[in-house]
């Protein structure tokens, strides 16, 4: 059973919901606890790469399958489904990206200190490797915080013009609120990342 920070056991429907969300959240160490045995090779840097590179890789794979199976005319539909699914895990991805900047300073002597990543204290934030991953995280911020919501907004606007052919995943709101998915996504970003 899932317990909160206050060790409160959640009742049946909520515990199932949290377990499902935990599955969507790709809690890799929970699913594969043996990965931690790899030591320093499986760390917050690897999780950042998994979270940020898996969606574009999956999208590219779907596009390749569509082209190979001579269904290139369905690329717009594939993109629509991809953006819809991505919006479900988008906030989790952004939290992983923002974690690269969340370091804690520890005193190591009279006037010296070291900074370590909060999500993985084996990673020193003062090392050059971490600076490279911070730069990579900045690149992913441009993509996931700015370009993905913009693409989502443009896709919803285009879908608004189609009317009548929309499915629940594509437009769960009234036509006059076609922008609400993107607004909700930005709200979740503001609550978790900034």
């Amino acid at each position: 059973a899932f317990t909160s920070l206050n060790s409160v056991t959640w009742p049946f429907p909520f515990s199932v919901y949290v377990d499902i969300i935990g599955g969507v959240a790709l809690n890799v160490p929970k699913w594969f606890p043996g990965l931690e045995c790899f030591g320093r090779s499986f760390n917050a840097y690897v999780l950042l790469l998994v979270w940020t590179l898996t969606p574009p890789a999956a999208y590219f794979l779907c596009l390749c399958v569509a082209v190979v199976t001579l269904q290139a005319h369905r690329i717009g539909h594939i993109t629509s489904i991809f953006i819809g699914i991505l919006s479900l895990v988008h906030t989790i991805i952004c939290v992983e990206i923002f974690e690269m900047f969340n370091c804690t300073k520890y005193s190591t002597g009279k006037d010296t200190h070291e900074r370590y990543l909060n999500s993985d204290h084996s990673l020193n934030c003062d090392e050059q490797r971490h600076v490279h991953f911070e730069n990579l995280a900045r690149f992913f911020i441009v993509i996931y915080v700015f370009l993905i919501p913009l693409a989502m907004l443009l896709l919803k606007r285009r879908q608004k013009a189609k009317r009548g052919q929309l499915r629940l995943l594509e437009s769960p709101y009234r036509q006059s609120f076609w922008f609400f998915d993107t607004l909700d996504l930005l709200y979740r970003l503001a609550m978790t990342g900034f």
Side-chain angles (χ1 to χ4, degrees), residues 6-193:
N6 298 326
S7 299
V8 175
T9 304
W10 292 93
F12 165 68
F14 297 110
S15 63
V16 172
Y17 173 75
V18 169
D19 287 340
I20 290 170
I21 294 300
V24 171
L26 294 179
N27 190 349
V28 177
K30 181 180 175 184
W31 288 0
F32 306 105
L35 290 176
E36 293 173 350
C37 294
F38 288 110
R40 292 181 59 93
S41 63
F42 184 79
N43 55 31
Y45 298 150
V46 173
L47 282 177
L48 174 71
L49 294 175
V50 167
W51 273 109
T52 54
L53 297 177
T54 300
Y59 178 65
F60 181 72
L61 180 66
C62 289
L63 291 180
C64 289
V65 168
V67 169
V68 167
T69 60
L70 302 176
Q71 298 203 11
H73 63 281
R74 299 189 49 91
I75 288 176
H77 181 69
I78 291 169
T79 301
S80 174
I81 290 173
F82 174 77
I83 294 287
I85 293 171
L86 183 61
S87 71
L88 298 175
V89 294
H90 181 266
T91 304
I92 300 166
I93 294 170
C94 290
V95 167
E96 282 295 323
I97 294 169
F98 296 142
E99 278 296 315
M100 284 296 112
F101 305 101
N102 191 8
C103 297
T104 300
K105 185 191 301 187
Y106 294 101
S107 177
T108 57
K110 189 172 184 177
D111 291 329
T112 61
H113 69 276
E114 289 183 356
R115 297 178 319 124
Y116 289 92
L117 196 62
N118 274 349
S119 61
D120 187 345
H121 276 84
S122 69
L123 302 174
N124 188 332
C125 295
D126 297 323
E127 293 178 354
Q128 190 62 33
R129 182 176 182 209
H130 185 76
V131 172
H132 293 308
F133 274 94
E134 281 183 338
N135 290 333
L136 185 62
R138 285 181 183 92
F139 170 74
F140 287 133
I141 284 173
V142 170
I143 292 173
Y144 282 97
V145 175
F146 297 108
L147 296 181
I148 296 291
L150 181 62
M152 186 179 190
L153 186 66
L154 294 174
L155 180 70
K156 294 297 179 180
R157 185 174 174 206
R158 190 179 78 195
Q159 288 174 344
K160 177 186 178 261
K162 286 198 314 189
R163 286 196 121 107
Q165 301 175 352
L166 300 179
R167 296 177 183 87
L168 182 62
L169 183 60
E170 294 172 339
S171 183
Y173 307 105
R174 291 185 184 152
Q175 288 292 328
S176 59
F177 297 107
W178 60 272
F179 57 88
F180 193 75
D181 274 342
T182 306
L183 187 65
D184 182 51
L185 184 115
L186 294 174
Y187 170 77
R188 287 182 279 150
L189 268 177
M191 292 292 107
T192 59

